[in-house]
């Protein structure tokens, strides 16, 4: 009788194998939920992954895993789980929560356009979700401000660029004028130096010419004096006779 009971239990386990497996994944989910409520996010993640290993189509386990990952700031991994949960979940109310959380992640990363799409999907599943509606309105406002800020930054950059361009042009023009003035001054200076050199040369030439003239005049005067002396010496002197009284 005892052995018959064991056989009967074994037979029931074989026949209800799928049910036992489902029960196991629910146990892991409950353990994960207990860890999650104690803010033990990593422990909760481990339990949810165990649940998924037992039943990969358990939308609740996938969704809860996404929540545990999001609390650990593993946003990219959380997004994958929320997206998978939205595809697996048949209940619209629970599917709305997946879209809502996806919107929250996008909003935190200032990806407002993507967040708006997620919130709109959530509202299609649950039009009565006021929290999602509020987030949607907020993201639309933030997206508008973001676009305006980008436009302002673009205008400012263009303005600064034009300002720098005008400043560069002004500097180039100023440099050009300075170079022009410098060239003009250099030219004037060169001309002045040339004129000074020419004047100096002229003065030197005049001084040389004057010296030569004076020298020639002195030589000529000396020649004239010598000639006069020679002439005077060549003439005979008259005898002076004493007159008898």
């Amino acid at each position: 009788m005892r052995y018959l009971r064991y056989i009967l239990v074994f037979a029931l386990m074989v026949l209800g194998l799928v049910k036992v497996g489902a029960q196991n994944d629910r146990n892991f989910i409950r353990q994960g939920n207990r860890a999650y409520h104690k803010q033990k996010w990593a422990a909760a993640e481990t339990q949810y992954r165990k649940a998924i290993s037992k039943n990969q189509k358990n939308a609740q386990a996938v969704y809860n895993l996404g929540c545990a990952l999001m609390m650990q700031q593993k946003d990219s991994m959380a997004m994958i789980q929320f997206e998978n949960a939205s595809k697996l979940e048949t209940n619209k109310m629970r599917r709305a929560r997946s879209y809502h959380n996806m919107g929250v992640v996008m909003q935190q990363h200032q990806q407002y356009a993507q967040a708006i799409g997620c919130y709109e999907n959530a509202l299609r599943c649950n039009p009565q979700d006021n929290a999602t509606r509020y987030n949607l309105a907020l993201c639309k406002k933030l997206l508008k401000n973001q676009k305006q800020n980008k436009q302002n930054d673009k205008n400012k950059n263009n303005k600064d660029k034009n300002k720098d361009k005008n400043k560069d042009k002004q500097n180039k023009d100023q440099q050009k004028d300075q170079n022009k003035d410098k060239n003009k001054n250099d030219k004037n200076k060169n001309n002045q130096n040339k004129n000074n050199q020419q004047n100096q040369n002229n003065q030197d030439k005049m001084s040389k010419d004057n010296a030569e003239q004076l020298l020639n005049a002195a030589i000529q005067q000396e020649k004239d004096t010598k000639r006069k002396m020679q002439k005077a010496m060549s003439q005979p002197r008259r005898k002076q006779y004493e007159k008898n009284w």
Side-chain angles (χ1 to χ4, degrees):
M1 185 67 179
R2 183 177 178 181
Y3 292 106
L4 180 60
R5 185 171 60 184
Y6 287 151
I7 294 173
L8 179 60
V9 171
F10 179 77
L12 291 174
M13 289 177 63
V14 172
L15 292 174
L17 181 61
V18 175
K19 185 176 180 180
V20 171
Q23 180 64 33
N24 285 340
D25 63 23
R26 286 197 297 269
N27 288 335
F28 286 127
I29 290 175
R30 284 194 290 269
Q31 293 175 20
N33 291 343
R34 285 194 292 268
Y36 187 92
H37 292 312
K38 293 179 181 179
Q39 298 184 359
K40 296 180 179 180
W41 319 122
E45 176 188 350
T46 300
Q47 297 302 318
Y48 295 141
R49 289 190 182 279
K50 289 180 179 180
I52 295 172
S53 67
K54 293 294 182 180
N55 183 5
Q56 296 181 357
K57 294 184 179 181
N58 190 321
Q60 187 63 35
V62 176
Y63 171 82
N64 288 3
L65 176 60
C67 293
L69 291 169
M70 185 170 66
M71 297 305 296
Q72 297 177 79
Q73 298 182 349
K74 299 177 180 179
D75 292 342
S76 59
M77 297 173 64
M79 284 292 294
I80 295 174
Q81 301 304 322
F82 289 138
E83 186 175 359
N84 291 337
S86 67
K87 296 176 181 179
L88 292 171
E89 187 59 68
T90 57
N91 184 286
K92 286 187 176 182
M93 301 294 287
R94 290 195 292 267
R95 188 187 307 161
R97 290 187 297 178
S98 294
Y99 286 126
H100 176 90
N101 286 357
M102 291 170 67
V104 170
V105 173
M106 293 292 99
Q107 183 177 341
Q108 289 176 345
H109 289 272
Q110 298 183 359
Q111 297 180 3
Y112 301 121
Q114 293 88 334
I116 289 172
C118 294
Y119 289 139
E120 288 176 345
N121 287 335
L123 287 175
R124 290 188 185 97
C125 296
N126 182 13
Q128 305 303 321
D129 191 341
N130 292 328
T132 299
R133 184 174 288 104
Y134 172 82
N135 286 1
L136 175 61
L138 178 62
C139 282
K140 287 182 178 180
K141 182 178 180 180
L142 293 173
L143 179 61
K144 183 178 179 181
N145 293 340
Q146 187 182 62
K147 290 181 178 180
Q148 186 62 43
N149 291 335
K150 287 183 179 180
Q151 185 62 38
N152 292 338
D153 291 340
K154 183 178 180 180
N155 293 337
K156 183 179 179 181
N157 291 335
N158 290 335
K159 185 177 180 180
D160 292 341
K161 186 176 181 180
N162 292 333
K163 185 177 179 181
D164 293 339
K165 186 177 180 180
N166 293 333
K167 187 175 180 180
D168 291 340
K169 185 177 183 299
Q170 184 178 0
N171 291 335
K172 288 181 179 179
D173 293 340
Q174 185 177 1
Q175 185 65 36
K176 185 177 180 180
D177 293 339
Q178 290 177 353
N179 292 335
K180 186 176 180 180
D181 293 339
K182 185 177 182 297
N183 293 333
K184 185 176 180 180
N185 292 333
D186 292 341
K187 184 177 180 180
N188 292 334
K189 186 176 180 180
N190 291 333
N191 291 334
Q192 184 66 33
N193 292 334
K194 185 176 181 180
N195 292 333
N196 292 337
Q197 185 65 35
Q198 186 174 0
N199 292 333
Q200 184 65 37
N201 293 336
N202 291 334
Q203 290 178 2
D204 294 341
K205 184 177 180 181
M206 290 177 63
S207 298
K208 184 177 181 181
D209 292 343
N210 290 336
E212 289 180 354
Q213 289 178 1
L214 292 174
L215 180 62
N216 292 332
I219 294 172
Q220 186 64 38
Q221 185 178 3
E222 183 179 358
K223 287 181 178 181
D224 292 341
T225 301
K226 186 176 181 181
R227 188 169 53 252
K228 287 179 180 181
M229 290 179 65
Q230 290 176 352
K231 184 177 181 181
M233 290 177 64
S234 63
Q235 291 179 359
R237 295 183 180 180
R238 292 180 181 179
K239 277 188 175 182
Q240 294 183 355
Y241 297 96
E242 295 181 355
K243 186 176 180 180
N244 295 325
W245 296 95

